[in-house]
Amino acid sequence: MHCYHCHQDVIEPNRYIAEVLGEKRQMCCPGCQAVAQAIVANGLDDYYKFRTEPANKADDSALEQTLNKLRLYDQPELQEEFVTTDDKLSVIQLSIEGISCAACAWLIEKKLSVLAGVAQVGVNASARRALVRWDPARINLSDILAAIEKIGYHALPFQPQQHEEQFKRTSQSFLKRMGLAGIMTMQVMMIAFALYFGLFGNLDDDIRQFLHWVSLLLTLPVVLISGAGFYRGAIRALKAATVNMDVPISIAIWALFIASAKATVLEQGEVFFESVCMFIFLLLISRYLEHRSRHQAALISANMSQYVPVTARLLSEGKTTDCLAKILKAGQVVLVRSGETIPVDGVVTQGKSYVDESMLTGEFSPVVKQAGDKVYGGTINQHSSLTLEVSRPLKEALVNQILRLQDQALLSKPAISQLADKVARYFVMAVLLIAALTWGFWTWVGNPDAFWITAAVLVATCPCALGLATPSALTCAMASLNRHGLLLKRADLLETITNIKVLAFDKTGTLTQGRFSLSAVHNLSAHPQQHILSVVCAIEQHSEHPIARAFDAPTTEQVSDVEVRPGYGLCATVNGTGYRLGSARLIRNKVPEDLQGCNVFLENGNQLLAAFTVTDSLREDATETLNRLSSYERVIISGDAEENVRRIANELTIDEYYAQCSPEQKLQKLQALQKQGKSVMMIGDGINDTPVMAAADVSVAVGGATDLAKNAADIILVTPSLALLPELFAMARLTRRKIIQNMCWALGYNMAVLPLAVAGYLTPWMGVIGMSLSSILVVANSVRLLNKGPRS
Amino acid sequence: MSILYILIPIAILLVTLAVVVFFWAVKSGQFEDLERHGTSILFDEDKPEADKDNNQNER
C-alpha cells in the first residue's frame, strides 16, 4: 500500500488517514497527513488531480521547531542581506525544496495568494524558486515561509550567484536571436521553394527579381542581428591569434550573403539567402541548447547556497535573548536547549548532556559533555540544556576552519582537459585550408563557379552536428536524471563520471543510517528473550539517550522508581523487580570476556540478565547498491572509531578502509589515491566530508546531507537512498555512448560530403539541407536519452 | 501574378509584427518557466472555500 501523498510504503495501515478528493486516503506518517489536510482545507485538492510526480515525504518530526526558527527571518539585520524594497512592498527570492512538478508551483502560488498582505507570488517550477512581494506592515516574512512549510515544502531565502543575472540576459538574447532567425528563415525558405521549383508556373524575370529583393530584405536582420554572436566570437579568437569554430562560420555567412546580395543587385547569378538563414538558425539552436544546460546547472547550484543563519540564545542577567550567532563575542554566555544546534565553539559552564559531533568528526556515538568540556559550533545537543561560554567568535570556529580547508581543496581540484577545444582548433584550420585550396584550384582551372564551390565546402563542413553532439546529449541526460531526483551542478560531470575508478564513501550517515539500532541480543537469563526485550523497552522509554531509540517496541510492563544516571544508564523497577540497564560501568556483576564488545547490559539484583549490541546499522539499500558497484575500487574514509568502520567494511565486503580520520587526513587519503592516477568519486553527507568532497573529481551528497555538504557536492541525491548511484553510472555510460555515436555520425557525414563539395557536385543549398538533416538526426538520437532514465 | 506585389509586402508586415510580439514575450519573461504554464489551464479558478478566505482577508 502506498501513501497517497508521497507514494512511499505505508507501514501502519489505517493509522493516518486524510480525506482527499472525496475519498479516504492512506497516509504513511503524521507529516504527510498534516500536509494533505492543510492542502484540502485550503481548497487546493486540484493539486492531487493534476500532479505528475509524487510529493516528497513530509517529515514533521521537527515541524514545530522549524516554524519557531523561521521567526528569525523577521529580524531586520538579517533581512537587510536579501530583501529588497519596492514601492513600500518587500521583495524576496526564495529557493524552494520539494517542487517536483508544475502542480507544486500552482499549489504554492494559491496557498500564498490567499494570505493577507501578500501582493504577488511567482513560482518558477523549473528553477525551483519563488519571487514574493509582500507588505511588511501586514504580514511577516516568517508567516510566508511557515505557510509554505505547512504544505510540505521548504523555502529559504538564498543569495543568487553574481553571474546568474548575466546568464539570464544571455539566455534572453539567445532566444531573441533564435526566434528572429527562425521566423525569417521560414519566410525565406518559402520564397526559395517557389524559386527553385517554379511552383507558380514559369516565373517571369520581374517576379524572380522581386522575390530576390524580398529575400535580401528578410535575410538582412538575420545576418546582422542573429549572427552577431558568431562574428564577435571570431574576432575575439583572431585577436588572440588563434581560430575557433566561429571563424569559418563567419566567413561562410558573409561570403554567401555578399555574393547573393551582389547577384541580386547586378541582376545576374544565383542567390543563396535561404542557405544563410537556415545556417544561422541551426547553429543558434545548438548554441542555445548548450547554454541552457549550463544555465540549468548553475541554477541548481545557486539554489543550494541557501541562507541559513545560525542563531543563539544569549544569556545575560538571567534573561535570554535570541540573536545571530555571528555577532557573538568570546566570553559571552549562551544557553543551548535539547535538540538545538550549538551555535559557536565554547566551553560548557553548566549542565551535562550528550552532543552529536558526527558531522564534524564522523564519530557516530554521541559524546558526553559536562562543565569544562569544549563543544563545537555546528554540533547538536541531544539531551538536556547546556550553558556555554563562547571561546571564539564564529569566524574562527572549527566549522569555518573546515570550510577554509574546503576552499583550498577546491583550488587544487584536477582540471578537466579541454581536449574538445584543441581538436576543434585543428579541425577548423583544416577546413579553412581545404576551402582555400579548393578556391585556388578551381580559379586556376578557370571554373566560373569557384566561389560557390568554396562556399559549399565551408557550409558542408560546418561542424554544426558536431557542435550539437555533446550539448544535446548532456542536456537530455541531465533532464532525465533531474526528474529522478539526481541534481547535477555541472553538465560536464557526466563525462568525468565515466572515468571514475575509485568510489570513496563516508560511513556515518552515508552508508549507515546515522542512528542506533539493535544488532545483537545475548540472553543470559532463564526468561524468554521476548520478556527481556519487553522489560528493556519499558525502561528505555524513560531515557532520552539516543541509544534508547533502538528499543522503541511497544510494551505493557509497569515501570516505577526510574532513576536516570547520565553517562551510565538507568535504574528502575519493573513489575516489582529492580533492574539496572546501561553501560558496563553501571553493572555490578562481572561481565564475561566474550561479551566485552556489547555496549548495553541488563541486570537485576543478583545476576547479569542480558547483553545487547546497539550500533549504527547500514542503510537498507547499501549492500545491494555496493554489490552493483563492485566493478569499482571501493574505499571507506571515515572519522569513526576503527572497530565500527571495520564492522561496516566487513558487512559490505570492502577491503580498503581508513578510520579515525580528521577532515585534513581524509583529504590526504583522497589526494594519495589521486596521486596514483585514479579518478575518485567521494560520497558523503557531513561537514567533515566537505574538504574531501571539494577535492574529489566528482562528489556526491546523499539525501539528508548537511547544507554545507550539499554546497560542496557536484551531485546531490534528493532522496536519502544510495540506490540511484548505479543508475547515475549507467546513465553516464549511456550518455557517453550517445556522444560518441553522435560524433561519429557528424564527422562521418562531414567527411563523406567534403569530397563532393570540393569536386563541385554540391551547391550551398544542398550543403545546408544535408547539414540540417545531420543535425536533426543527432538531436533525435540524444532525445532518446530522456526516456532511458533510472528505473523509478 | 501581380497580386504578389501586394501580398508579399503584407506578409512582411505580419512577420515584422510577429517578431515584435516575440521580442516582447521574451523580454517580459514568458519563456522563463515552460514546465509550469503548460498545465496551468488544467487548474480551476478559486474554489468557493478559497473565495471565502479571500473575502475574510479583504482582498
Side-chain angles (χ1 to χ4, degrees):
Chain A
M1 189 186 292
H2 297 294
C3 173
Y4 186 68
H5 182 71
C6 67
H7 292 198
Q8 291 190 14
D9 287 338
V10 175
I11 296 156
E12 300 165 274
N14 295 325
R15 175 143 186 213
Y16 305 107
I17 289 177
E19 196 178 313
V20 183
L21 295 171
E23 262 181 64
K24 294 219 180 310
R25 316 279 185 174
Q26 297 283 348
M27 300 283 162
C28 62
C29 60
C32 288
Q33 187 191 23
V35 168
Q37 283 168 346
I39 291 172
V40 174
N42 283 292
L44 301 173
D45 25 7
D46 267 2
Y47 162 71
Y48 289 106
K49 240 192 258 170
F50 297 117
R51 65 178 179 176
T52 51
E53 304 287 330
N56 285 3
K57 185 175 173 129
D59 183 12
D60 92 319
S61 55
L63 184 67
E64 275 308 308
Q65 273 176 26
T66 319
L67 291 185
N68 283 336
K69 270 214 170 135
L70 292 178
R71 291 270 155 241
L72 212 84
Y73 287 99
D74 293 336
Q75 294 196 2
E77 305 92 306
L78 226 160
Q79 291 204 353
E80 241 169 51
E81 292 187 35
F82 47 77
V83 175
T84 50
T85 315
D86 169 21
D87 190 24
K88 283 191 197 158
L89 294 177
S90 297
V91 185
I92 195 171
Q93 281 250 22
L94 299 172
S95 85
I96 302 184
E97 256 178 70
I99 292 189
S100 52
C101 68
C104 297
W106 174 83
L107 183 61
I108 295 168
E109 277 185 10
K110 278 284 171 217
K111 170 80 184 173
L112 291 192
S113 62
V114 297
L115 293 176
V118 175
Q120 190 203 358
V121 197
V123 179
N124 185 330
S126 40
R128 301 198 169 92
R129 287 188 186 167
L131 183 86
V132 184
R133 261 176 231 279
W134 79 100
D135 181 357
R138 297 177 66 194
I139 190 167
N140 287 325
L141 176 60
S142 62
D143 295 324
I144 298 174
L145 297 179
I148 300 176
E149 201 76 34
K150 276 184 194 147
I151 48 172
Y153 303 92
H154 308 287
L156 283 180
F158 76 106
Q159 288 160 321
Q161 286 168 355
Q162 284 161 345
H163 58 259
E164 197 169 289
E165 196 49 40
Q166 202 192 333
F167 251 124
K168 202 173 140 189
R169 272 201 303 274
T170 325
S171 227
Q172 286 197 343
S173 107
F174 258 122
L175 258 179
K176 280 186 192 166
R177 292 190 340 229
M178 209 169 75
L180 177 72
I183 293 171
M184 292 306 181
T185 305
M186 277 191 269
Q187 313 307 314
V188 178
M189 284 302 287
M190 212 154 61
I191 292 170
F193 218 71
L195 286 174
Y196 281 136
F197 299 103
L199 286 188
F200 302 131
N202 289 327
L203 289 176
D204 49 46
D205 281 349
D206 279 355
I207 294 269
R208 184 178 290 275
Q209 197 53 33
F210 173 63
L211 290 180
H212 283 182
W213 276 104
V214 171
S215 302
L216 172 63
L217 185 72
L218 291 172
T219 308
L220 202 62
V222 179
V223 171
L224 292 183
I225 300 173
S226 297
F230 301 117
Y231 322 141
R232 273 200 293 273
I235 291 169
R236 253 203 309 273
L238 291 176
K239 266 190 188 157
T242 168
V243 287
N244 59 9
M245 300 265 194
D246 289 341
V247 176
I249 290 173
S250 303
I251 295 177
I253 292 174
W254 280 102
L256 279 174
F257 181 70
I258 291 174
S260 301
K262 205 175 105 190
T264 308
V265 175
L266 297 180
E267 301 193 7
Q268 58 174 342
E270 281 184 275
V271 297
F272 286 103
F273 291 118
E274 79 295 336
S275 309
V276 180
C277 285
M278 215 212 280
F279 191 51
I280 294 176
F281 181 49
L282 287 167
L283 285 171
L284 277 175
I285 292 179
S286 68
R287 294 284 165 95
Y288 178 65
L289 274 182
E290 192 182 349
H291 172 82
R292 226 182 55 160
S293 71
R294 261 190 284 149
H295 188 185
Q296 194 72 31
L299 280 182
I300 289 171
S301 71
N303 282 357
M304 291 303 145
S305 56
Q306 284 173 339
Y307 191 93
V308 187
V310 187
T311 56
R313 247 180 256 275
L314 188 62
L315 258 182
S316 58
E317 295 160 13
K319 278 193 295 188
T320 59
T321 39
D322 284 344
C323 73
L324 295 174
K326 66 174 181 189
I327 60 169
L328 287 176
K329 293 185 202 78
Q332 288 183 314
V333 181
V334 173
L335 178 74
V336 185
R337 298 228 175 99
S338 157
E340 288 182 342
T341 304
I342 294 174
V344 281
D345 292 5
V347 178
V348 179
T349 54
Q350 258 180 53
K352 183 170 181 181
S353 179
Y354 296 100
V355 174
D356 177 1
E357 293 191 338
S358 64
M359 58 287 288
L360 286 184
T361 61
E363 178 128 17
F364 164 65
S365 310
V367 187
V368 183
K369 297 283 182 183
Q370 50 195 344
D373 286 344
K374 276 187 192 160
V375 288
Y376 301 101
T379 57
I380 299 169
N381 178 13
Q382 290 199 317
H383 188 59
S384 56
S385 293
L386 285 176
T387 311
L388 326 170
E389 189 184 305
V390 179
S391 55
R392 47 188 172 189
L394 190 63
K395 261 207 320 268
E396 296 156 29
L398 189 63
V399 183
N400 284 321
Q401 289 174 20
I402 294 180
L403 280 184
R404 270 198 289 283
L405 198 63
Q406 172 199 328
D407 289 343
Q408 286 164 13
L410 258 182
L411 288 178
S412 59
K413 195 167 178 129
I416 303 151
S417 64
Q418 302 288 323
L419 186 71
D421 281 2
K422 252 187 220 158
V423 171
R425 199 153 67 225
Y426 290 120
F427 186 85
V428 167
M429 291 215 253
V431 165
L432 289 174
L433 195 70
I434 291 172
L437 287 177
T438 309
W439 187 77
F441 173 77
W442 287 113
T443 318
W444 180 65
V445 172
N447 189 326
D449 286 337
F451 178 82
W452 294 118
I453 294 172
T454 313
V457 168
L458 281 175
V459 172
T461 53
C462 169
C464 200
L466 196 66
L468 273 171
T470 314
S472 65
L474 289 182
T475 316
C476 294
M478 258 179 79
S480 166
L481 288 172
N482 223 323
R483 257 199 315 217
H484 291 90
L486 271 156
L487 301 181
L488 272 68
K489 288 196 195 165
R490 298 198 323 264
D492 57 347
L493 284 172
L494 280 168
E495 285 178 289
T496 324
I497 286 172
T498 49
N499 301 326
I500 293 289
K501 293 277 180 302
V502 184
L503 303 179
F505 292 92
D506 169 50
K507 184 184 78 73
T508 313
T510 306
L511 291 173
T512 67
Q513 294 179 327
R515 62 186 156 82
F516 284 110
S517 64
L518 191 57
S519 64
V521 181
H522 304 275
N523 187 359
L524 307 172
S525 70
H527 300 291
Q529 185 165 321
Q530 199 60 37
H531 172 72
I532 296 287
L533 275 177
S534 166
V535 169
V536 174
C537 290
I539 302 176
E540 288 283 20
Q541 278 179 352
H542 297 266
S543 167
E544 285 177 42
H545 190 278
I547 277 188
R549 274 184 248 155
F551 300 93
D552 62 351
T555 168
T556 51
E557 309 285 340
Q558 296 298 315
V559 186
S560 55
D561 305 330
V562 181
E563 183 200 343
V564 180
R565 294 191 174 174
Y568 292 89
L570 305 114
C571 304
T573 307
V574 181
N575 295 337
T577 321
Y579 291 98
R580 302 160 78 80
L581 175 68
S583 70
R585 278 173 297 176
L586 181 77
I587 302 302
R588 294 194 181 144
N589 292 297
K590 197 174 166 299
V591 175
E593 268 313 301
D594 56 330
L595 295 181
Q596 293 290 352
C598 298
N599 45 7
V600 180
F601 299 92
L602 177 74
E603 65 171 10
N604 60 15
N606 322 317
Q607 62 161 136
L608 190 63
L609 295 174
F612 307 92
T613 312
V614 171
T615 47
D616 186 10
S617 63
L618 280 175
R619 279 184 194 263
E620 280 163 20
D621 47 13
T623 320
E624 199 205 324
T625 305
L626 273 271
N627 281 340
R628 288 177 62 192
L629 293 172
S630 55
S631 54
Y632 296 91
E633 188 180 334
R634 296 160 304 167
V635 184
I636 297 180
I637 307 181
S638 173
D640 204 354
E642 172 91 29
E643 190 194 310
N644 295 338
V645 181
R646 187 175 52 230
R647 186 176 56 81
I648 295 291
N650 284 342
E651 263 181 71
L652 292 170
T653 61
I654 293 177
D655 302 328
E656 211 177 336
Y657 60 86
Y658 306 99
Q660 280 175 315
C661 295
S662 66
E664 285 98 328
Q665 287 167 327
K666 281 190 164 191
L667 186 57
Q668 285 160 8
K669 294 276 186 274
L670 180 103
Q671 283 168 341
L673 282 169
Q674 286 178 326
K675 281 221 181 77
Q676 297 169 24
K678 298 167 178 165
S679 317
V680 186
M681 174 189 266
M682 175 75 204
I683 300 113
D685 77 316
I687 298 170
N688 63 331
D689 301 321
T690 53
V692 63
M693 280 163 84
D697 298 76
V698 178
S699 53
V700 180
V702 182
T706 55
D707 293 335
L708 285 174
K710 281 188 195 163
N711 225 329
D714 299 318
I715 300 172
I716 296 157
L717 303 181
V718 177
T719 48
S721 140
L722 292 171
L724 284 172
L725 268 187
E727 311 291 352
L728 175 67
F729 282 104
M731 194 62 171
R733 273 196 300 272
L734 195 64
T735 309
R736 191 167 71 165
R737 212 164 62 218
K738 285 273 179 231
I739 291 176
I740 292 173
Q741 282 171 4
N742 286 348
M743 284 195 160
C744 286
W745 167 258
L747 281 176
Y749 164 78
N750 279 354
M751 293 299 163
V753 294
L754 188 61
L756 292 176
V758 172
Y761 287 116
L762 205 75
T763 55
W765 70 270
M766 287 185 200
V768 166
I769 288 180
M771 184 195 76
S772 328
L773 288 178
S774 157
S775 304
I776 289 168
L777 210 85
V778 162
V779 173
N781 190 31
S782 297
V783 166
R784 283 166 58 211
L785 277 176
L786 274 180
N787 307 323
K788 279 274 168 59
R791 301 174 298 179
S792 33
Chain B
M1 277 307 162
S2 53
I3 189 74
L4 283 180
Y5 291 109
I6 303 162
L7 287 182
I8 287 185
I10 293 178
I12 291 177
L13 269 182
L14 290 177
V15 164
T16 319
L17 196 71
V19 168
V20 171
V21 169
F22 179 75
F23 274 33
W24 165 82
V26 170
K27 208 176 167 193
S28 63
Q30 308 283 316
F31 289 93
E32 250 151 60
D33 188 2
L34 297 174
E35 228 173 283
R36 158 129 171 65
H37 295 286
T39 52
S40 54
I41 193 167
L42 292 174
F43 294 104
D44 287 338
E45 284 305 302
D46 290 343
K47 291 205 166 166
E49 300 98 307
D51 279 340
K52 216 161 44 195
D53 282 351
N54 277 352
N55 295 339
Q56 279 165 4
N57 293 333
E58 298 162 25
R59 288 191 74 220

